[in-house]
Amino acid sequence: MITEKRPGTEEEPLCGVAIEEEPLSRYLQRQTRRIRAFDARRPWVWDALLAAFWTGAALTDAAGGWRNIARDPSVPAWLVLALSLALSVPLLWRRRRPMTVLAVMACASLLSNWTGAFLQAGFLQAVVVFHIALRLPLRTLLWPLVVITSPLVVGAIRFPKDSWDQQIVPTLWAYAMVALLGIAVRSRQDYTAALVDRARRLEVERDQQAQLAAAAERTRIAREMHDIIGHNLSVITGLADGGKYAAAKNPERAAEALDAISTTSRQALAELRRLLRGEAVRDPQPTLDDLDALIAGVRTAGLPVRLEIKGGPQPLATGAQLTVYRVIQEALTNTLKHAGTKAEATVLLSYGQEELTAEITDTGGPERGIIGTGQGVTGMRERAALYDGTLEADPLPPGGWRVRLRLPLEGSRS
């Protein structure tokens, strides 16, 4: 909580608002991301700062400190200065040309050990080794091992004051630890990049799944709306035509037609409301038990329909029953719209051992158009495919139509 302290008063929250302090780890992570982002945009800034720092340290050592460990303190000052610069300034290009930088520094280190100066700036080769292990293939570490070992061997041969173990092994161990550090950092970066890439791919996949689900839902709603609206409007049209002709001669029949139109309209609105609000769980979709009501409505609209059932009822999922219902509804709707006023229709349900067959035929005259490429038949085929079924829609001579649906029963599906 951030508070303001006034003389003679107790601590109180500023503006009466308590502000939770940010955890230190989150703060450090955010600052680290900012530094990395800045370095990615302007890498030369960090390269210049690091090279300038180590160049200053090398020049400080060249001012006199190098003699504390030198084997030959009589090395000319100008040579010590040149070697110090050669061992530090190339760090400016360590990320872009690490192998070239290491070669230049190794030459300077070789000359430093040959002359007996043994400049401490030679240890800056470890910085380049770190970047080689961090950025280049691991097999390239064999060449730097040879490059950094040669000056050590030359110095041990020229000035055998200490044992080889004391002059070479500790330095090699230091370079090995730096290389291992670079490999560890690289592994961590690769792991983090893999996690980020996986999260990005999962996010893309999630969005794609959401889009596919939305498209499937839109298709389902469009198919259901086509069935509901197409069928009920066809029934209403038939009732309205019949009521118009009956109005002049039989007002009672006209009133019955209007009453049927009102009932059909309310049913259509109820089905649309249930569909668009997702109320199918509370108010189930039609099943085969609702076929009698469907056929009664079609008969009221003026189309004689005969229903035949062969075989005993077999287990069929609710969704499959809805498919059969919608196919029969769509087929009868097409008959109402295309078969003419003298047509008759037959609905035959046959329960076999492994499948249910629904066959809808009509006796439309020659004036009936050839259908089968519209949204209705396409929707019927899609519904059948959802339950591993097939649908055929074929014309019958001299002008009728037949729709045949085959759906496997529950026990026959693999």
Side-chain angles (χ1 to χ4, degrees), residues 2-14:
I2 300 178
T3 60
E4 181 180 9
K5 181 71 174 177
R6 296 185 178 89
T9 63
E10 297 182 355
E11 281 191 350
E12 297 180 356
L14 263 180

Side-chain angles (χ1 to χ4, degrees), residues 53-100:
F53 174 80
W54 288 116
T55 299
L59 293 178
T60 301
D61 183 61
W66 65 276
R67 290 188 175 87
N68 296 328
I69 61 171
R71 301 298 187 271
D72 184 4
S74 63
V75 178
W78 65 268
L79 181 58
V80 173
L81 178 62
L83 292 176
S84 298
L85 293 175
L87 288 168
S88 56
V89 173
L91 290 177
L92 183 63
W93 298 277
R94 74 191 186 284
R95 286 198 281 192
R96 285 171 288 179
R97 297 287 188 273
M99 302 298 286
T100 303

Side-chain angles (χ1 to χ4, degrees), residues 94-327:
R94 74 191 186 284
R95 286 198 281 192
R96 285 171 288 179
R97 297 287 188 273
M99 302 298 286
T100 303
V101 170
L102 184 62
V104 172
M105 297 177 68
C107 292
S109 179
L110 180 64
L111 184 57
S112 172
N113 292 358
W114 177 266
T115 59
F118 282 85
L119 296 177
Q120 297 183 81
F123 287 102
L124 293 179
Q125 295 174 94
V127 178
V128 186
V129 172
F130 173 81
H131 280 277
I132 291 175
L134 183 64
R135 300 175 183 278
L136 299 183
L138 296 181
R139 63 178 180 272
T140 58
L141 286 174
L142 296 177
W143 188 82
L145 177 63
V146 176
V147 171
I148 63 180
T149 303
S150 300
L152 299 176
V153 173
V154 169
I157 294 175
R158 284 273 294 168
F159 302 94
K161 178 180 178 180
D162 300 323
S163 65
W164 282 55
D165 291 346
Q166 292 178 340
Q167 294 191 59
I168 298 177
V169 175
T171 305
L172 291 180
W173 271 113
Y175 287 145
M177 294 302 295
V178 169
L180 289 176
L181 178 62
I183 294 173
V185 173
R186 178 179 186 169
S187 300
R188 179 66 179 178
Q189 290 179 349
D190 292 343
Y191 177 72
T192 303
L195 288 180
V196 171
D197 180 68
R198 182 172 181 269
R200 185 180 297 110
R201 286 188 287 106
L202 288 175
E203 183 178 357
V204 172
E205 183 178 352
R206 180 200 63 192
D207 295 340
Q208 290 176 345
Q209 291 293 337
Q211 293 174 1
L212 290 175
E217 182 66 12
R218 286 194 296 268
T219 302
R220 185 189 71 83
I221 292 175
R223 185 167 56 235
E224 293 288 342
M225 290 184 66
H226 174 273
D227 292 340
I228 294 171
I229 295 175
H231 170 74
N232 287 286
L233 284 181
S234 297
V235 172
I236 290 172
T237 301
L239 290 170
D241 291 340
K244 181 179 65 174
Y245 290 115
K249 298 180 180 180
N250 194 340
E252 293 181 359
R253 294 292 302 274
E256 291 177 1
L258 290 175
D259 202 17
I261 289 174
S262 176
T263 302
T264 304
S265 300
R266 289 192 181 93
Q267 290 176 351
L269 288 175
E271 289 190 47
L272 286 175
R273 188 178 297 111
R274 181 179 63 243
L275 173 65
L276 296 178
R277 292 182 180 178
E279 297 175 349
V281 175
R282 290 182 297 166
D283 191 5
Q285 294 277 45
T287 62
L288 293 181
D289 294 334
D290 300 301
L291 277 180
D292 291 335
L294 171 66
I295 291 175
V298 175
R299 288 171 180 163
T300 304
L303 175 65
V305 182
R306 184 174 73 255
L307 174 62
E308 298 180 12
I309 299 178
K310 294 183 179 181
Q314 300 291 334
L316 200 62
T318 304
Q321 293 188 45
L322 175 63
T323 296
V324 178
Y325 180 92
R326 292 301 189 198
V327 167

